[in-house]
mmCIF file of all heavy atoms in Angstrom:
data_model
loop_
_atom_site.group_PDB
_atom_site.id
_atom_site.type_symbol
_atom_site.label_atom_id
_atom_site.label_comp_id
_atom_site.label_asym_id
_atom_site.label_seq_id
_atom_site.Cartn_x
_atom_site.Cartn_y
_atom_site.Cartn_z
ATOM 1 N N LEU A 348 -19.741 17.976 -9.157
ATOM 2 C CA LEU A 348 -19.838 17.172 -10.371
ATOM 3 C C LEU A 348 -19.364 15.686 -10.058
ATOM 4 O O LEU A 348 -20.003 14.748 -10.445
ATOM 5 C CB LEU A 348 -18.894 17.710 -11.494
ATOM 6 C CG LEU A 348 -19.359 19.045 -12.101
ATOM 7 C CD1 LEU A 348 -18.246 19.621 -12.958
ATOM 8 C CD2 LEU A 348 -20.669 18.910 -12.898
ATOM 9 N N VAL A 349 -18.283 15.562 -9.316
ATOM 10 C CA VAL A 349 -17.782 14.260 -8.975
ATOM 11 C C VAL A 349 -18.841 13.495 -8.131
ATOM 12 O O VAL A 349 -19.165 12.339 -8.384
ATOM 13 C CB VAL A 349 -16.453 14.308 -8.226
ATOM 14 C CG1 VAL A 349 -16.139 12.995 -7.504
ATOM 15 C CG2 VAL A 349 -15.324 14.705 -9.126
ATOM 16 N N SER A 350 -19.474 14.164 -7.172
ATOM 17 C CA SER A 350 -20.460 13.466 -6.376
ATOM 18 C C SER A 350 -21.672 13.068 -7.152
ATOM 19 O O SER A 350 -22.210 11.937 -6.948
ATOM 20 C CB SER A 350 -20.695 14.309 -5.110
ATOM 21 O OG SER A 350 -21.960 14.701 -5.057
ATOM 22 N N GLU A 351 -22.065 13.869 -8.178
ATOM 23 C CA GLU A 351 -23.172 13.483 -9.018
ATOM 24 C C GLU A 351 -22.833 12.288 -9.931
ATOM 25 O O GLU A 351 -23.653 11.347 -10.093
ATOM 26 C CB GLU A 351 -23.580 14.667 -9.862
ATOM 27 C CG GLU A 351 -25.021 14.600 -10.441
ATOM 28 C CD GLU A 351 -25.445 15.767 -11.298
ATOM 29 O OE1 GLU A 351 -24.805 16.870 -11.183
ATOM 30 O OE2 GLU A 351 -26.317 15.558 -12.167
ATOM 31 N N ILE A 352 -21.595 12.323 -10.431
ATOM 32 C CA ILE A 352 -21.164 11.191 -11.309
ATOM 33 C C ILE A 352 -21.178 9.866 -10.451
ATOM 34 O O ILE A 352 -21.612 8.850 -10.935
ATOM 35 C CB ILE A 352 -19.731 11.477 -11.847
ATOM 36 C CG1 ILE A 352 -19.778 12.657 -12.875
ATOM 37 C CG2 ILE A 352 -19.120 10.276 -12.545
ATOM 38 C CD1 ILE A 352 -18.422 13.244 -13.213
ATOM 39 N N MET A 353 -20.625 9.981 -9.230
ATOM 40 C CA MET A 353 -20.567 8.758 -8.398
ATOM 41 C C MET A 353 -21.984 8.295 -8.049
ATOM 42 O O MET A 353 -22.245 7.072 -8.049
ATOM 43 C CB MET A 353 -19.793 9.067 -7.115
ATOM 44 C CG MET A 353 -18.413 9.685 -7.323
ATOM 45 S SD MET A 353 -17.122 8.438 -7.594
ATOM 46 C CE MET A 353 -16.457 8.339 -5.984
ATOM 47 N N ASP A 354 -22.874 9.210 -7.696
ATOM 48 C CA ASP A 354 -24.225 8.852 -7.365
ATOM 49 C C ASP A 354 -24.896 8.112 -8.537
ATOM 50 O O ASP A 354 -25.706 7.213 -8.344
ATOM 51 C CB ASP A 354 -25.065 10.095 -7.023
ATOM 52 C CG ASP A 354 -24.799 10.630 -5.670
ATOM 53 O OD1 ASP A 354 -24.156 9.881 -4.895
ATOM 54 O OD2 ASP A 354 -25.209 11.807 -5.411
ATOM 55 N N LYS A 355 -24.548 8.544 -9.731
ATOM 56 C CA LYS A 355 -25.130 7.903 -10.932
ATOM 57 C C LYS A 355 -24.408 6.641 -11.355
ATOM 58 O O LYS A 355 -24.610 6.072 -12.387
ATOM 59 C CB LYS A 355 -25.213 8.925 -12.079
ATOM 60 C CG LYS A 355 -26.187 10.020 -11.763
ATOM 61 C CD LYS A 355 -26.498 10.956 -12.885
ATOM 62 C CE LYS A 355 -27.743 11.761 -12.529
ATOM 63 N NZ LYS A 355 -27.826 13.035 -13.281
ATOM 64 N N GLY A 356 -23.468 6.183 -10.480
ATOM 65 C CA GLY A 356 -22.913 4.836 -10.719
ATOM 66 C C GLY A 356 -21.667 4.740 -11.574
ATOM 67 O O GLY A 356 -21.313 3.718 -12.125
ATOM 68 N N VAL A 357 -20.874 5.856 -11.550
ATOM 69 C CA VAL A 357 -19.576 5.836 -12.190
ATOM 70 C C VAL A 357 -18.489 6.321 -11.208
ATOM 71 O O VAL A 357 -18.683 7.393 -10.622
ATOM 72 C CB VAL A 357 -19.575 6.685 -13.451
ATOM 73 C CG1 VAL A 357 -18.136 6.755 -14.084
ATOM 74 C CG2 VAL A 357 -20.562 6.117 -14.478
ATOM 75 N N LEU A 358 -17.444 5.533 -11.011
ATOM 76 C CA LEU A 358 -16.413 5.893 -10.092
ATOM 77 C C LEU A 358 -15.302 6.638 -10.850
ATOM 78 O O LEU A 358 -14.793 6.184 -11.871
ATOM 79 C CB LEU A 358 -15.863 4.649 -9.378
ATOM 80 C CG LEU A 358 -16.870 3.803 -8.634
ATOM 81 C CD1 LEU A 358 -16.121 2.658 -7.883
ATOM 82 C CD2 LEU A 358 -17.691 4.629 -7.635
ATOM 83 N N VAL A 359 -14.929 7.841 -10.292
ATOM 84 C CA VAL A 359 -13.858 8.616 -10.890
ATOM 85 C C VAL A 359 -12.960 9.125 -9.812
ATOM 86 O O VAL A 359 -13.279 9.025 -8.606
ATOM 87 C CB VAL A 359 -14.442 9.893 -11.704
ATOM 88 C CG1 VAL A 359 -15.218 9.393 -12.920
ATOM 89 C CG2 VAL A 359 -15.288 10.727 -10.792
ATOM 90 N N LEU A 360 -11.803 9.757 -10.198
ATOM 91 C CA LEU A 360 -10.865 10.260 -9.254
ATOM 92 C C LEU A 360 -10.706 11.767 -9.552
ATOM 93 O O LEU A 360 -11.191 12.299 -10.528
ATOM 94 C CB LEU A 360 -9.471 9.614 -9.488
ATOM 95 C CG LEU A 360 -9.352 8.151 -9.279
ATOM 96 C CD1 LEU A 360 -8.157 7.564 -10.021
ATOM 97 C CD2 LEU A 360 -9.252 7.801 -7.787
ATOM 98 N N THR A 361 -9.959 12.443 -8.675
ATOM 99 C CA THR A 361 -9.643 13.829 -8.923
ATOM 100 C C THR A 361 -8.078 13.948 -8.936
ATOM 101 O O THR A 361 -7.417 12.991 -8.545
ATOM 102 C CB THR A 361 -10.222 14.768 -7.875
ATOM 103 O OG1 THR A 361 -9.712 14.400 -6.581
ATOM 104 C CG2 THR A 361 -11.718 14.758 -7.844
ATOM 105 N N ALA A 362 -7.628 15.028 -9.406
ATOM 106 C CA ALA A 362 -6.188 15.342 -9.364
ATOM 107 C C ALA A 362 -5.982 16.826 -9.517
ATOM 108 O O ALA A 362 -6.742 17.471 -10.222
ATOM 109 C CB ALA A 362 -5.401 14.602 -10.504
ATOM 110 N N GLY A 363 -4.931 17.343 -8.838
ATOM 111 C CA GLY A 363 -4.708 18.806 -8.842
ATOM 112 C C GLY A 363 -5.946 19.546 -8.421
ATOM 113 O O GLY A 363 -6.753 19.052 -7.585
ATOM 114 N N LYS A 364 -6.087 20.777 -8.948
ATOM 115 C CA LYS A 364 -7.169 21.644 -8.507
ATOM 116 C C LYS A 364 -8.405 21.453 -9.358
ATOM 117 O O LYS A 364 -9.556 21.720 -8.920
ATOM 118 C CB LYS A 364 -6.737 23.096 -8.604
ATOM 119 C CG LYS A 364 -5.728 23.519 -7.633
ATOM 120 C CD LYS A 364 -5.502 25.077 -7.761
ATOM 121 C CE LYS A 364 -4.246 25.515 -7.019
ATOM 122 N NZ LYS A 364 -3.016 25.082 -7.678
ATOM 123 N N ASP A 365 -8.202 21.052 -10.638
ATOM 124 C CA ASP A 365 -9.352 21.133 -11.551
ATOM 125 C C ASP A 365 -9.599 19.915 -12.398
ATOM 126 O O ASP A 365 -10.379 19.965 -13.353
ATOM 127 C CB ASP A 365 -9.108 22.379 -12.489
ATOM 128 C CG ASP A 365 -7.788 22.304 -13.236
ATOM 129 O OD1 ASP A 365 -7.050 21.268 -13.065
ATOM 130 O OD2 ASP A 365 -7.512 23.247 -13.968
ATOM 131 N N ALA A 366 -8.903 18.821 -12.133
ATOM 132 C CA ALA A 366 -9.103 17.578 -13.012
ATOM 133 C C ALA A 366 -9.980 16.563 -12.344
ATOM 134 O O ALA A 366 -9.827 16.277 -11.163
ATOM 135 C CB ALA A 366 -7.703 17.005 -13.326
ATOM 136 N N ILE A 367 -10.937 16.069 -13.145
ATOM 137 C CA ILE A 367 -11.569 14.826 -12.808
ATOM 138 C C ILE A 367 -10.773 13.762 -13.529
ATOM 139 O O ILE A 367 -10.718 13.745 -14.771
ATOM 140 C CB ILE A 367 -13.066 14.817 -13.345
ATOM 141 C CG1 ILE A 367 -13.858 15.922 -12.616
ATOM 142 C CG2 ILE A 367 -13.693 13.463 -13.062
ATOM 143 C CD1 ILE A 367 -15.269 16.136 -13.111
ATOM 144 N N ARG A 368 -10.077 12.934 -12.750
ATOM 145 C CA ARG A 368 -9.083 12.046 -13.344
ATOM 146 C C ARG A 368 -9.709 10.656 -13.668
ATOM 147 O O ARG A 368 -10.374 10.045 -12.818
ATOM 148 C CB ARG A 368 -7.900 11.900 -12.354
ATOM 149 C CG ARG A 368 -6.832 10.980 -12.880
ATOM 150 C CD ARG A 368 -5.605 11.005 -12.008
ATOM 151 N NE ARG A 368 -5.934 11.063 -10.608
ATOM 152 C CZ ARG A 368 -5.151 10.610 -9.655
ATOM 153 N NH1 ARG A 368 -3.983 10.012 -9.937
ATOM 154 N NH2 ARG A 368 -5.484 10.654 -8.374
ATOM 155 N N LEU A 369 -9.435 10.159 -14.839
ATOM 156 C CA LEU A 369 -9.920 8.839 -15.255
ATOM 157 C C LEU A 369 -8.767 7.914 -15.458
ATOM 158 O O LEU A 369 -7.844 8.175 -16.258
ATOM 159 C CB LEU A 369 -10.738 8.933 -16.576
ATOM 160 C CG LEU A 369 -11.809 10.040 -16.689
ATOM 161 C CD1 LEU A 369 -12.483 9.925 -18.051
ATOM 162 C CD2 LEU A 369 -12.814 9.941 -15.559
ATOM 163 N N LEU A 370 -8.748 6.780 -14.765
ATOM 164 C CA LEU A 370 -7.728 5.760 -14.920
ATOM 165 C C LEU A 370 -8.509 4.400 -15.034
ATOM 166 O O LEU A 370 -8.377 3.570 -14.142
ATOM 167 C CB LEU A 370 -6.780 5.693 -13.727
ATOM 168 C CG LEU A 370 -5.884 6.923 -13.385
ATOM 169 C CD1 LEU A 370 -5.206 6.716 -12.039
ATOM 170 C CD2 LEU A 370 -4.911 7.237 -14.488
ATOM 171 N N PRO A 371 -9.258 4.210 -16.117
ATOM 172 C CA PRO A 371 -10.050 3.004 -16.192
ATOM 173 C C PRO A 371 -9.254 1.743 -16.298
ATOM 174 O O PRO A 371 -8.073 1.846 -16.762
ATOM 175 C CB PRO A 371 -10.933 3.219 -17.499
ATOM 176 C CG PRO A 371 -10.582 4.503 -18.028
ATOM 177 C CD PRO A 371 -9.387 5.010 -17.301
ATOM 178 N N PRO A 372 -9.756 0.566 -15.947
ATOM 179 C CA PRO A 372 -9.048 -0.632 -16.272
ATOM 180 C C PRO A 372 -8.711 -0.619 -17.767
ATOM 181 O O PRO A 372 -9.634 -0.264 -18.547
ATOM 182 C CB PRO A 372 -10.044 -1.767 -15.920
ATOM 183 C CG PRO A 372 -10.864 -1.163 -14.835
ATOM 184 C CD PRO A 372 -10.984 0.296 -15.231
ATOM 185 N N LEU A 373 -7.518 -1.016 -18.172
ATOM 186 C CA LEU A 373 -7.194 -0.969 -19.614
ATOM 187 C C LEU A 373 -8.042 -1.900 -20.418
ATOM 188 O O LEU A 373 -8.147 -1.835 -21.613
ATOM 189 C CB LEU A 373 -5.697 -1.319 -19.767
ATOM 190 C CG LEU A 373 -4.703 -0.472 -18.962
ATOM 191 C CD1 LEU A 373 -3.260 -0.911 -19.170
ATOM 192 C CD2 LEU A 373 -4.878 1.024 -19.302
ATOM 193 N N THR A 374 -8.662 -2.876 -19.718
ATOM 194 C CA THR A 374 -9.492 -3.892 -20.358
ATOM 195 C C THR A 374 -10.932 -3.528 -20.472
ATOM 196 O O THR A 374 -11.764 -4.316 -20.857
ATOM 197 C CB THR A 374 -9.368 -5.230 -19.617
ATOM 198 O OG1 THR A 374 -9.703 -4.891 -18.212
ATOM 199 C CG2 THR A 374 -8.050 -5.857 -19.673
ATOM 200 N N ILE A 375 -11.281 -2.303 -20.102
ATOM 201 C CA ILE A 375 -12.728 -1.889 -20.049
ATOM 202 C C ILE A 375 -13.392 -2.206 -21.389
ATOM 203 O O ILE A 375 -12.785 -1.978 -22.465
ATOM 204 C CB ILE A 375 -12.864 -0.368 -19.657
ATOM 205 C CG1 ILE A 375 -14.291 -0.011 -19.440
ATOM 206 C CG2 ILE A 375 -12.195 0.519 -20.715
ATOM 207 C CD1 ILE A 375 -14.512 1.345 -18.865
#
Side-chain angles (χ1 to χ4, degrees):
L348 291 170
V349 166
S350 116
E351 200 183 336
I352 291 167
M353 307 274 265
D354 283 347
K355 292 190 167 157
V357 174
L358 303 184
V359 294
L360 298 159
T361 58
K364 292 186 193 69
D365 57 2
I367 298 174
R368 180 172 41 151
L369 312 181
L370 300 172
L373 305 178
T374 52
I375 189 170

